[in-house]
């Protein structure tokens, strides 16, 4: 008996008898640049805010204060193991993620992470879940996600992000808080993912 | 609990029922109008949208042209990263694989990411038959599942339901399958979404096994991609220990870099956003993060049949954005149920016959569910020439009836026309006959023939058939010497 694998591949080959393969990868057109007179970082901040996320900009020495301001009083906050000290300084009593269970995380109010790339045109933050961002689950279950993006991590558009991302790592692309338009196409922010996305853009010039 | 599309009537009779439902038509007109407007705005922002469409189409074509080697490459990269790869010839085989994985872990429930392919293969019903509950976690899919209803749109499957109906479904059904809806449930969308959040969270937290589809499968890296909005996808892809992803073999993208144009095209075409809230990508197993047992089922189920069709194979480029539904004048009036399939609208009208083959009356009615206006082709982000494929499939449907013992009236009429046109003498005689009829009718003051009797009635029900001219073109030419002596 032929295996399903052999049979499916055999059918594919039979279907393609008249077709020649194409070897050269497709080169896609370039992405958009920031509008004239707007910096990449401003464009990014504007586009993220467009999704009704909270966006604040701060200089590097204002980061701890900005993190503290993003967290409600008394909030239980989970952090990834590799969160930089300068960020930790803004969190009163952080819970460091040590393989916490989903149920543990469900009892936590907020998470603070860094990011890998910010995409200005689409207002997207990409996490590659390196140690300063932590496991996927920690930035998913708590209801508030405070995410730190450095100005030099911001790129113009999607094609500029691809070469910076390693597909072998799990990636999470985040564009605003979780949302649905399933009921009469009325947009509602916040279904299963964090209902509050708070982005801190760290910029020398701000 | 869930409805099924099996045994649906042909498009014309299903459409007649849908057209009589004014609430449905109101919901559809509103929904498609809103999405059309959003899409137009964000597509208008992209200066080189046409180039991007060309690139998107080229990427999918490149994958399809050497699909055999891409699939082998995908299998190798997935296996190298710890995933278990299965192959399935058809729906039954794919369903069996999921059931076996569920049995191996002794689970009686799975959580599901919204996925067209699992609907196509009837996975929920197959699991239910084995005593395994499949919980839909997308809000619209939850509404459809709890309502014992059928999806009517690719992107927003509950597009045919309004907020009051949804509130009723939640109040009545949530308690039977888990956490009940709160007593003070209103019909505010935010409140309804909140109830879904609470209801599903307990299911997410305890789930051991999740089932997903994939929007894309990257051959060179072995990466699967799920594009979503609510975060239910992230929950399913991250929390359970075991993940089974069912991937149609046409989902392959050759390389990681070539994912770029598709990621730019999909959200703008689909929800009319610059980017969807969440996109998750994963490559096999990541130690310590997410599911530690990952299965990928590569599914044919008719895709190789579509691939063998030279004109039709372009339909396999489809990235399920649903832009063609929202611009379709037929879909806007009938809604998705009339198409009798999980793939409704213009893309469904070609995809169903391509996947299943022609010959069944329901499937054969679908290529005619179009005015061939071409709006679907204009909207398609991967440039599927849907009108071209519709015409091609109509020819196939007609060819399927060439040897019918009792020919259709239409076939008889065309046979007669062919006989008359084949000989100038016959044509001349036919024309003179029709001129005589025309003169008689005109003398009675008739400009159109009104409703024809018999099979011709189907044509004249909605159209005027003008009376034949009093003089044929050839008689006029002879009389006036080609217009010289008018």
């Amino acid at each position: 008996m032929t295996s399903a694998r052999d049979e499916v591949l055999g059918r594919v080959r039979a279907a393609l008898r008249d077709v020649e393969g194409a070897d050269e990868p497709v080169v896609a057109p370039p992405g958009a640049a920031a509008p004239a007179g707007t910096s990449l970082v401003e464009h990014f901040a504007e586009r993220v805010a467009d999704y009704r996320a909270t966006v604040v900009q701060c200089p590097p020495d204002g980061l701890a204060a900005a993190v503290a301001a993003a967290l409600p009083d008394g909030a239980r906050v989970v952090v990834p193991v590799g969160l930089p000290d300068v960020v930790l300084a803004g969190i009163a009593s952080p819970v460091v993620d040590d393989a916490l269970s989903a149920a543990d995380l469900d009892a936590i109010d907020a998470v603070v992470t860094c990011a890998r790339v910010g995409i200005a045109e689409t207002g997207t933050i990409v996490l590659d879940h390196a140690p300063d961002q932590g496991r996927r689950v920690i930035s998913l279950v708590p209801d508030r996600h405070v995410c730190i993006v450095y100005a030099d991590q911001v790129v113009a558009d999607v094609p500029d992000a691809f070469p910076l991302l390693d597909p072998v790592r799990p990636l999470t692309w985040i564009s605003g808080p979780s949302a649905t338009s399933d009921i009469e196409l009325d947009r509602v922010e916040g279904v299963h993912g964090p209902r509050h996305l708070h982005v801190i853009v760290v910029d020398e010039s701000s | 609990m869930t409805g099924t599309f099996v045994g649906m009537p042909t498009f014309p009779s299903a459409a007649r029922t849908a057209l009589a439902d004014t609430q449905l038509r109101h919901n559809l007109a509103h929904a498609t109008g809103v999405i059309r407007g959003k899409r137009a705005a964000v597509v208008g922002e992209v200066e080189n949208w046409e180039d991007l469409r060309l690139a998107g189409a080229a990427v999918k074509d490149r994958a399809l042209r050497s699909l055999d080697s891409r699939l082998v490459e995908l299998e190798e990269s997935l296996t190298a990263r710890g995933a278990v790869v299965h192959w399935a010839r058809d729906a039954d085989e794919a369903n069996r694989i999921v059931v076996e994985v569920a049995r191996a872990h002794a689970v009686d429930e799975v959580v599901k990411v919204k996925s067209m392919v699992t609907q196509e293969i009837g996975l929920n019903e197959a699991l239910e038959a084995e005593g395994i509950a499949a919980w839909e976690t997308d809000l619209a899919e939850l509404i459809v599942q709890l309502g014992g209803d059928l999806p009517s749109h690719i992107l927003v499957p509950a597009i045919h339901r309004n907020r009051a109906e949804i509130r009723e479904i939640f109040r009545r059904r949530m308690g039977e399958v888990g956490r009940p809806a709160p007593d003070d449930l209103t019909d505010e969308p935010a409140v309804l979404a909140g109830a879904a959040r609470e209801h599903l969270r307990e299911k997410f937290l305890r789930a051991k096994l999740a089932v997903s589809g994939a929007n894309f499968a990257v051959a060179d890296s072995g990466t699967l991609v799920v594009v979503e909005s609510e975060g239910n996808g992230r929950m399913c892809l991250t929390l359970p220990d075991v993940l089974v992803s069912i991937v149609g073999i046409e989902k392959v993208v050759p390389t990681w870099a070539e994912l770029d144009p598709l990621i730019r095209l999909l959200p703008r075409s689909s929800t009319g956003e610059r980017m969807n809230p969440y996109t998750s990508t994963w490559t096999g197993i990541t130690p310590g993060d997410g599911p530690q047992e990952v299965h990928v089922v590569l599914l044919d189920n008719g895709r190789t049949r579509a691939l063998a069709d030279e004109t039709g194979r372009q339909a396999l480029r489809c990235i399920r954005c649903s832009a063609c539904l929202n611009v379709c004048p037929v879909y806007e009036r009938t809604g998705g149920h009339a198409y009798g399939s999980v793939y409704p609208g213009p893309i469904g009208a070609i995809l169903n016959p391509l996947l299943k083959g022609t010959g069944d009356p329901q499937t054969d009615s679908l290529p005619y569910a179009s005015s061939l206006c071409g709006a679907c082709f204009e909207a398609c982000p991967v440039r599927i020439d849907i009108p071209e494929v519709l015409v091609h499939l109509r020819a196939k449907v007609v060819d399927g009836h060439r040897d019918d013992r009792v020919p259709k009236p239409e076939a008889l009429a065309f046979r007669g026309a062919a006989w008359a046109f084949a000989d100038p003498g016959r044509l001349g005689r036919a024309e003179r006959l029709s001129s005589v009829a025309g003169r008689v009718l005109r003398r009675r003051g008739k400009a159109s023939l009104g409703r024809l009797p018999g099979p011709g009635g189907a044509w004249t029900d909605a159209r005027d058939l003008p009376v034949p001219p009093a003089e044929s073109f050839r008689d006029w030419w002879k009389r006036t010497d080609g217009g010289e002596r008018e």
Side-chain angles (χ1 to χ4, degrees), chain B residues 140-156:
Chain B
E141 295 287 0
L142 177 73
I143 295 164
V144 168
Q145 186 178 42
L146 291 178
D149 200 357
L150 288 165
S152 63
H153 190 283
I154 290 175
L155 171 72
V156 269

Side-chain angles (χ1 to χ4, degrees), chain B residues 16-251:
Chain B
R16 207 163 292 129
T17 318
L19 288 172
D21 185 342
T22 47
Q23 176 70 53
L24 176 72
R25 291 183 61 173
H26 174 82
N27 293 357
L28 283 167
H30 168 69
T32 52
V34 169
I35 314 184
R36 274 203 304 273
K38 285 173 69 182
R39 175 191 167 274
V42 293
V43 165
E45 273 181 15
V46 181
E47 225 168 86
N48 46 14
W49 181 254
E50 279 311 306
D51 293 336
L52 203 53
R53 285 177 80 204
L54 286 166
V59 168
K60 291 290 289 193
D61 268 350
R62 191 166 103 87
L64 292 169
R65 294 175 80 88
S66 42
L67 188 60
D68 50 339
S69 49
R70 304 280 172 220
L71 286 169
V72 171
E73 189 185 6
L74 175 66
E75 180 185 40
E76 278 166 10
S77 8
L78 279 167
T79 312
R81 298 287 306 169
V84 182
V85 176
H86 309 257
W87 297 72
R89 281 166 277 221
D90 53 27
D92 284 348
E93 200 159 27
N95 288 333
R96 265 204 308 281
I97 294 164
V98 183
V99 168
E100 276 162 28
V101 174
R103 287 256 177 78
H105 293 277
V107 299
D108 58 6
E109 61 172 5
V110 306
V111 285
K112 284 188 64 204
V113 186
K114 171 173 157 44
S115 138
M116 298 305 298
V117 74
T118 59
Q119 286 175 25
E120 174 192 323
I121 63 174
L123 176 68
N124 292 7
E125 295 74 28
L127 288 171
E128 209 179 326
E130 300 290 331
I132 301 160
W135 306 120
E136 293 291 351
T137 63
D138 170 76
L139 179 52
E141 295 287 0
L142 177 73
I143 295 164
V144 168
Q145 186 178 42
L146 291 178
D149 200 357
L150 288 165
S152 63
H153 190 283
I154 290 175
L155 171 72
V156 269
I159 200 170
H160 57 290
R161 295 285 197 186
N162 63 29
R163 60 183 74 191
E165 294 173 296
I166 295 166
R167 172 172 177 264
E168 267 320 292
I169 292 170
F170 279 10
R171 284 170 60 100
R172 219 175 53 238
R173 294 279 294 124
M174 270 185 173
E176 293 171 30
V177 293
R179 190 185 169 120
D183 289 336
D184 56 352
L185 187 72
T186 68
D187 64 4
E188 269 303 296
V191 173
L192 293 168
R197 177 187 169 94
E198 296 304 319
H199 177 78
L200 286 172
R201 185 147 291 216
E202 69 171 15
K203 290 191 161 67
F204 287 134
L205 293 180
R206 70 171 187 235
K208 296 277 175 278
L209 173 62
V211 179
S212 82
N215 292 88
F216 306 103
V218 184
D220 74 338
S221 59
T223 306
L224 299 190
V225 181
V226 162
V227 172
E228 53 134 354
S229 293
E230 296 171 10
N232 63 307
R234 292 178 68 192
M235 291 279 177
C236 294
L237 300 171
T238 314
L239 291 179
D241 307 328
V242 185
L243 172 64
V244 185
S245 305
I246 302 176
V247 182
I249 54 173
E250 85 286 13
K251 295 288 176 187

Side-chain angles (χ1 to χ4, degrees), chain A residues 5 7 11 20 23 26 29-30 50 106 141 167-168 171 173 175 178-180 182 184 187 191-192, chain B residues 48 62 65 68 75 81 89 140 163 197 201 229-230 258 264 273-274 277 279 281 283 289 300 313:
Chain A
R5 179 184 191 276
E7 197 171 327
R11 289 179 193 170
E20 264 178 63
D23 289 332
V26 174
D50 216 31
D106 198 32
V141 177
V168 164
L171 301 173
W173 301 49
S175 307
S178 137
T180 185
D182 280 348
E184 295 182 17
R187 188 178 164 96
V191 194
H192 304 293
Chain B
N48 46 14
R62 191 166 103 87
R65 294 175 80 88
D68 50 339
E75 180 185 40
R81 298 287 306 169
R89 281 166 277 221
R163 60 183 74 191
R197 177 187 169 94
R201 185 147 291 216
S229 293
E230 296 171 10
E258 286 170 286
R264 281 190 273 169
E273 293 169 300
R274 295 187 184 107
T279 297
T281 78
T283 304
D289 185 351
D300 181 351
R313 62 170 64 117

Side-chain angles (χ1 to χ4, degrees), chain A residues 15-204:
Chain A
L16 292 173
R17 259 192 303 251
D18 63 317
V19 176
E20 264 178 63
D23 289 332
E24 289 303 307
V26 174
V27 180
T38 313
S39 76
L40 213 51
V41 170
E42 282 168 42
H43 189 43
F44 172 71
E46 213 170 88
R47 285 287 159 95
V48 176
D50 216 31
Y51 292 120
R52 294 185 224 174
T54 309
V55 184
V56 297
Q57 297 185 49
C58 72
D61 59 7
L63 180 54
V67 171
L71 296 165
D73 285 340
R76 288 154 300 171
V77 181
V78 64
V79 297
V81 281
L83 199 69
D85 289 342
V86 54
V87 183
L88 278 174
I91 308 165
S93 47
V95 180
V96 178
D97 174 43
D98 172 24
L100 292 172
S101 73
D104 295 337
L105 287 167
D106 198 32
I108 279 178
D109 304 306
V111 56
V112 180
T113 72
C114 292
R116 177 72 190 87
V117 176
I119 304 172
E121 178 66 16
T122 59
T124 303
I125 294 155
V126 187
L127 308 187
D128 69 359
H129 304 283
D132 61 351
Q133 300 149 54
R135 298 184 300 144
R136 283 174 280 175
V137 66
I138 66 165
S139 44
L140 172 62
V141 177
D143 207 13
R144 176 180 297 266
H145 182 188
V146 178
C147 188
I148 295 141
V149 180
Y150 292 89
D152 62 2
Q153 292 182 312
V154 178
V155 299
D157 201 351
V158 172
D160 310 299
F162 265 86
L164 302 174
L165 298 169
D166 177 1
V168 164
R169 306 193 63 87
L171 301 173
T172 307
W173 301 49
I174 298 170
S175 307
S178 137
T180 185
S181 301
D182 280 348
I183 302 167
E184 295 182 17
L185 293 171
D186 254 9
R187 188 178 164 96
V188 174
E189 270 84 22
V191 194
H192 304 293
R195 286 185 280 199
H196 307 279
L197 177 65
H198 190 111
V199 179
I200 300 174
V201 185
V202 186
D203 187 4
E204 237 14 287

